[in-house]
C-alpha cells in the first residue's frame, strides 16, 4: 500500500490533446468506474497541457494549461502521459516528470528511438515507471508481450508491418495494379496518408519502431540511427507483378534479427532494418491488408507468433495508453513498479552490408548467346549463389533486341549482393538494372522459378 | 528491494516433470545467464517433485523428491511452478504454496476453470503472485495482454481457436474432404490426438480455456460449468462442403461475449461457449490451419486484434511458464507484486438458450409444392427470421423422392432456433434434419445464398 491509502485517487497530467489525447480524455471519463475498480483507486485528470487552449472548449477550463513544465512537476500529479510527439519539448518534459518521481507514459516513437536510453535512466534513477506500449503498432499489445511474456525465452527475429500508410499503398498496388503515384494519391484522398507523407513512405516511422522493437526483443540498445532504412517510393507496378510470379507479395517490413557470432570471432550481433521486400504469399504477414499492422515474432522455445490489429488512430492508440495507465496507477497504489528496460546484452548492431539477405534482380539484357554465362559469372565472382533465373520477353523489350532476365539469389551478405548489381550494370550485355528487391523467406521457402541455377 | 538483497537467488520448486516440466528444466539451465540478468538475481531450481524418480535419471538426484507437499512449503523455496495438470493433488499443492507465501505459476487450465477463484483468493490473502499464461494457447502471449494491455479498454468479444487437436482434424477434413473418423485416425497416427481424444474432440479442453478467457476479459468469474460445450464428433464431410458453398470454414470456436442489458431490465451478462461453427473464409481465424491456435479479440477502443501461435507442446508451453517466472521472480527481487485477478464486475452468465446465434440447417424434405411454405411457417412461428434458403438435389436424394433444403437464419435466441429445429423434425414434409451448425459472422457478413428469405 502506498502512503496515500488505497482509495486516494491517482492523478494524471496529460501533455497534448490532439487525436489521441482527446480520446484519452473521453475514455478516462467514460470508463471511470471500471478503471477505478481495476486500479483500486480512482484515476483522475489533474491537468491537460495544450498550446492553444481556445481550441479545446470541450475541456473543463480549470484543467487546461499552457505551462506544461509547471504541470509535470506539480505536487498533486502522479502520472504524466505524453502524446505531443516529436523530440522537443517532449523529451525535456518527460525527463522533468521522471526526475520529479512521476511515472511516465508516452506514445512517442521518434523520441524513444532517438534517446530512449536517457528516459530509461531517468526512470531508473527515481524508481518511477516508464511505459510506452502505444509507441509501436498502436492498439496491438506487442511491447508488453516482448518485454514480459517472452522474458524467459530467446527471441531470434521480429518482423512486421508497422506502418499502416505504406501497407495501404502497397495493398492498393497489389489489388489494382495501380502505380505508386496513383496509390499514394488514393491514400492521401482517403486520409490514410498525410499531406507530407515522407515520414511514412521513406520508412522513417517504421525505422523508429524497429529501433524500439529490437531494443526490447534483444535486451540491448538500438537507436533510429542504427536502423538501415529504405522506403517504398521506388516500388513499381512491375515489381508487384514480378513478386506475384514468384508466389510473393511486397510489404514494407521492419526486421529485427539476432545474428549469431561466427567461428572467425565475429561477436553475436543484431540487425534492424526497414525496406520493401518480397515475402511468400502463404505467410500470415502477406494477408495483412490495408491500414492494419501485424508483427511476426520467432523465439527459440515459443516458436512462431503473430500479433495483428490496428496500428494507428486515436481510439486504438488511446487504448494502449490506458492499458499502460492502469498498470502504472496500480503500481502506485500497491507501491511496486513495473519491469524496467533491460539492455544488459549490449549487442553490436550489424551494418546492412554484413547482413545476410537475398535479392530479386530484374535486368534488361541483350538477347544473344552467352549473356547468361556473363551474368552468372559476375554473380560467381562476388560469391553470390543463384537460386533461380527466368527469361521473359526475348527480342521484344523496348524494341532494342533485348530480353528481360530475372535472377533470384540465395542468401549472401548484402554488400556482396549490392556489389554484384553494381558490376552487372557495367556489363555491356546488360542494358539496364530495372529493379532490385530483397526477398525475405521468413521461415517459408519461396518457390523457385524458371531455371534453377 | 527484498530483504534478501538483489543478488540472492530466487529458488523454484517444480511440480511435475513431463513434456513441459523437462523443457522448463532445460531452459532454466540453458538460459541461466539471461534469466539472471533480466530478473536481477539468479533463478535456481530448488527441487523437482515427481512420482517416479527412477524415470528421471537426467535430473540431479539431490533435487528430486516424491514429497511434493514438503517441497512447496520448504523455507528455501520462493516460487512454485505446477505442471502436473488435473484437479488434485495440484489444487492442494498450489494452495499450500500460496498460503506459505510462495508465488505460484501454473499451466493447469482444468483447475483454473473449475476453481480459479479459490486460488486467486489464496494469493490475495498472502500477497503472493499467481500467474498462468501457459494455461491458454500455450506460447501465445494472450492472458497478459487481456489482463494488462487491454485493462484500460472494454473488451466485447474474445473468439478463438484454442485447441490444436480439433483444429488439425477440421483442417484435414477441409483440405482433403476426409470424414471425421479418417481425419481423427490421421491425427492420432501423427501424434496430434491422444489415444483417448475425448477431452479435445468433445470440447472440454476448449471450454476450460473459454472460462479462463471470459473471466479475464470481462473482469468476472466464469467457471467450466458455466460454459456451453459441444465438440466436433458430429461434423461431417457434408457439413464442410456446405460451409464452402456459403463462403465459410468450420472451426471449433471458444467464444466469450459481453451481452448488453436489455430495455426489459435484463442485466448486462456474458456468454462463454464452445462449438463448431461456420465462420467467413475471409476472416483471419479461417486461415489458421493445422495444430496452430489463434484468438481474435474485439474491444471498444482497440478495435480488432488477433494473436496467433503454437498452442501446445513442451517448449512453447515452457516459454510461457518462464515468462511468468521472470515476472514473478522480478517482483520478488524488487518487492512488488503483479496485478491480481479482477472479478469486480460479477456479471451473470447467460445460458446458451438466451444467447443470440445463427443457424445453418440442412433438411431432407419432400419434393413437392408447399414444402417451403410449411417450413418457413415453422420458422416464423418461433419468430426466427430466415436469411437465405437453397434447394439442392431435387428428386434425387436417397431415391425417396426427396430434396435437400438448406436454411440459414438471421440472429435469434439459441433456444428459439433449437425449438424451431425440433418442430421441423416433426413436420411430415421433413424426412430428416441432416445437420445443424451455428454461423458466426465475427464482424464480417456471411454471403447470402440462393433465395433470400
Amino acid at each position: 500500500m502506498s502512503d496515500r491509502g488505497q482509495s486516494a485517487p491517482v492523478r494524471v497530467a496529460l501533455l497534448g490533446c490532439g487525436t489521441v489525447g482527446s480520446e484519452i480524455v473521453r475514455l478516462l471519463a467514460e470508463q471511470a468506474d471500471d478503471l477505478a475498480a481495476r486500479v483500486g483507486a480512482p484515476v483522475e485528470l489533474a491537468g491537460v497541457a495544450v498550446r492553444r487552449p481556445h481550441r479545446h472548449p470541450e475541456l473543463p477550463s480549470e484543467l487546461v494549461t499552457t505551462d506544461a513544465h509547471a504541470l509535470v512537476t506539480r505536487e498533486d500529479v502522479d502520472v504524466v502521459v505524453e502524446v505531443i510527439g516529436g523530440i522537443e519539448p517532449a523529451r525535456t518534459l518527460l525527463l522533468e516528470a521522471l526526475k520529479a518521481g512521476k511515472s511516465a507514459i508516452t506514445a512517442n516513437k521518434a523520441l524513444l528511438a532517438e534517446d530512449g536510453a536517457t528516459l530509461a535512466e531517468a526512470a531508473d534513477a527515481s524508481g518511477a515507471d516508464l511505459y510506452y506500449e502505444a509507441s509501436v503498432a498502436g492498439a496491438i499489445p506487442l511491447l508488453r508481450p516482448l518485454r514480459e511474456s517472452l522474458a524467459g525465452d530467446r527471441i531470434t527475429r521480429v518482423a512486421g508491418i508497422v506502418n499502416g500508410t505504406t501497407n495501404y499503398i502497397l495493398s492498393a498496388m497489389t489489388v489494382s495494379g495501380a502505380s505508386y503515384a496513383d496509390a499514394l494519391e488514393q491514400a492521401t484522398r482517403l486520409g490514410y496518408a498525410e499531406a507530407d507523407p515522407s515520414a511514412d513512405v521513406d520508412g522513417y516511422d517504421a525505422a523508429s519502431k524497429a529501433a524500439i522493437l529490437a531494443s526490447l526483443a534483444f535486451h540491448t540498445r538500438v537507436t533510429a540511427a542504427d536502423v538501415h532504412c529504405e522506403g517504398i517510393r521506388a516500388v513499381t507496378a512491375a515489381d508487384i507483378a514480378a513478386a506475384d510470379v514468384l508466389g510473393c507479395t511486397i510489404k514494407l517490413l521492419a526486421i529485427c534479427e539476432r545474428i549469431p557470432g561466427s567461428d572467425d570471432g565475429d561477436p553475436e550481433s543484431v540487425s534492424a532494418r526497414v525496406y520493401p521486400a518480397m515475402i511468400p504469399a502463404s505467410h500470415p504477414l502477406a494477408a495483412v491488408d490495408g491500414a492494419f499492422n501485424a508483427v511476426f515474432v520467432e523465439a527459440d522455445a515459443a516458436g512462431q507468433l503473430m500479433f495483428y490489429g490496428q496500428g494507428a488512430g486515436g481510439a486504438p492508440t488511446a487504448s494502449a495508453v490506458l492499458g499502460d495507465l492502469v498498470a502504472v496507477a496500480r503500481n502506485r497504489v500497491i507501491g511496486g513498479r513495473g519491469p524496467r528496460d533491460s539492455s544488459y546484452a549490449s549487442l553490436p548492431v550489424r551494418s546492412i552490408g554484413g547482413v545476410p539477405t537475398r535479392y530479386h534482380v530484374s535486368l534488361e539484357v541483350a538477347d544473344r548467346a552467352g549473356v547468361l554465362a556473363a551474368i552468372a559469372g559476375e554473380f560467381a565472382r562476388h560469391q553470390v549463389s543463384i537460386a533461380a533465373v527466368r527469361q521473359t520477353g526475348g527480342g521484344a523489350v523496348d524494341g532494342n533486341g533485348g530480353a528481360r532476365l530475372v535472377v533470384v539469389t540465395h542468401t549472401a551478405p548484402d554488400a556482396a549482393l549490392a556489389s554484384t548489381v553494381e558490376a552487372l550494370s557495367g556489363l555491356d550485355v546488360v542494358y539496364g538494372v530495372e529493379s532490385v528487391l530483397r526477398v525475405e523467406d521468413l521461415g517459408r521457402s519461396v518457390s523457385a522459378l524458371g531455371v534453377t541455377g
Side-chain angles (χ1 to χ4, degrees), chain A:
Chain A
M1 297 297 133
S2 80
D3 55 5
R4 59 171 67 228
Q6 184 152 4
S7 57
V10 175
R11 290 175 55 82
V12 179
L14 179 63
L15 310 182
C17 199
T19 315
V20 177
S22 56
E23 282 294 322
I24 293 171
V25 171
R26 182 179 71 81
L27 290 169
L28 277 176
E30 270 185 31
Q31 311 264 46
D33 291 348
D34 280 315
L35 294 173
R38 295 171 195 178
V39 167
V43 179
E44 287 180 4
L45 208 49
V48 184
V50 297
R51 275 198 297 180
R52 299 183 196 82
H54 64 277
R55 291 203 184 169
H56 299 279
E58 78 285 4
L59 295 174
S61 60
E62 69 277 15
L63 292 183
V64 178
T65 173
T66 56
D67 189 350
H69 295 277
L71 178 62
V72 300
T73 50
R74 241 168 59 185
E75 192 66 32
D76 66 327
V77 165
D78 300 300
V79 182
V80 172
V81 174
E82 183 268 312
V83 288
I84 308 172
I87 305 301
E88 287 295 349
R91 172 166 49 196
T92 300
L93 290 168
L94 284 169
L95 289 174
E96 285 169 357
L98 289 166
K99 279 174 190 157
K102 318 299 188 192
S103 294
I105 297 164
T106 173
N108 193 328
K109 58 197 169 261
L111 173 56
L112 289 159
E114 178 165 311
D115 202 11
T118 302
L119 295 180
E121 283 157 18
D124 276 355
S126 66
D129 277 332
L130 171 66
Y131 278 63
Y132 46 89
E133 180 69 63
S135 65
V136 182
I140 308 174
L142 178 61
L143 304 192
R144 186 173 274 105
L146 288 181
R147 181 145 95 159
E148 302 184 44
S149 307
L150 291 165
D153 207 331
R154 189 166 173 281
I155 297 172
T156 52
R157 176 157 53 189
V158 179
I161 296 163
V162 294
N163 180 273
T165 303
T166 48
N167 200 53
Y168 181 89
I169 293 170
L170 292 173
S171 291
M173 291 175 72
T174 302
V175 170
S176 68
S179 70
Y180 167 75
D182 287 348
L184 171 61
E185 193 274 326
Q186 181 187 335
T188 309
R189 188 159 29 85
L190 297 175
Y192 290 116
E194 297 187 38
D196 175 1
S198 313
D200 294 315
V201 301
D202 291 331
Y204 302 130
D205 173 82
S208 290
K209 293 164 178 171
I212 296 169
L213 291 172
S215 300
L216 281 175
F218 306 131
H219 300 268
T220 189
R221 275 283 162 211
V222 176
T223 68
D226 296 324
V227 181
H228 174 81
C229 176
E230 300 173 28
I232 65 163
R233 286 187 203 261
V235 177
T236 64
D239 290 334
I240 303 273
D244 191 53
V245 169
L246 201 64
C248 286
T249 304
I250 297 180
K251 294 289 185 189
L252 182 72
L253 296 182
I255 303 173
C256 311
E257 270 176 345
R258 191 188 282 277
I259 302 176
S262 75
D263 294 343
D264 305 343
D266 284 341
E268 181 179 35
S269 59
V270 298
S271 160
R273 52 196 201 268
V274 169
Y275 45 64
M278 295 185 178
I279 63 171
S282 63
H283 193 280
L285 283 180
V288 176
D289 282 330
F292 274 83
N293 279 197
V295 176
F296 195 73
V297 177
E298 288 178 275
D300 276 353
Q304 303 185 326
L305 304 168
M306 195 172 87
F307 303 80
Y308 168 93
Q310 294 188 62
T317 308
S319 170
V321 168
L322 284 194
D324 282 353
L325 181 54
V326 168
V328 162
R330 207 151 42 184
N331 290 342
R332 289 261 151 185
V333 169
I334 66 173
R337 82 172 280 222
R340 54 190 87 183
D341 271 26
S342 147
S343 56
Y344 68 88
S346 298
L347 297 170
V349 179
R350 186 78 67 98
S351 68
I352 185 70
V355 172
T357 57
R358 291 180 68 188
Y359 272 23
H360 174 283
V361 184
S362 183
L363 304 168
E364 207 180 313
V365 298
D367 188 15
R368 60 172 191 257
V371 168
L372 182 54
I375 287 168
E378 211 55 63
F379 278 92
R381 222 180 328 281
H382 290 85
Q383 300 189 289
V384 173
S385 174
I386 292 175
V389 174
R390 180 172 54 96
Q391 186 185 326
T392 59
V397 177
D398 297 339
N400 61 1
R404 189 162 291 137
L405 198 71
V406 171
V407 180
V408 182
T409 75
H410 282 301
T411 299
D414 200 86
L417 291 159
S419 309
T420 307
V421 171
E422 201 186 329
L424 287 174
S425 66
L427 292 182
D428 60 358
V429 298
V430 173
Y431 298 160
V433 177
E434 289 198 323
S435 87
V436 178
L437 273 165
R438 293 186 186 80
V439 179
E440 293 284 340
D441 296 5
L442 300 172
R444 311 209 166 188
S445 63
V446 171
S447 64
L449 36 68
V451 185
T452 297

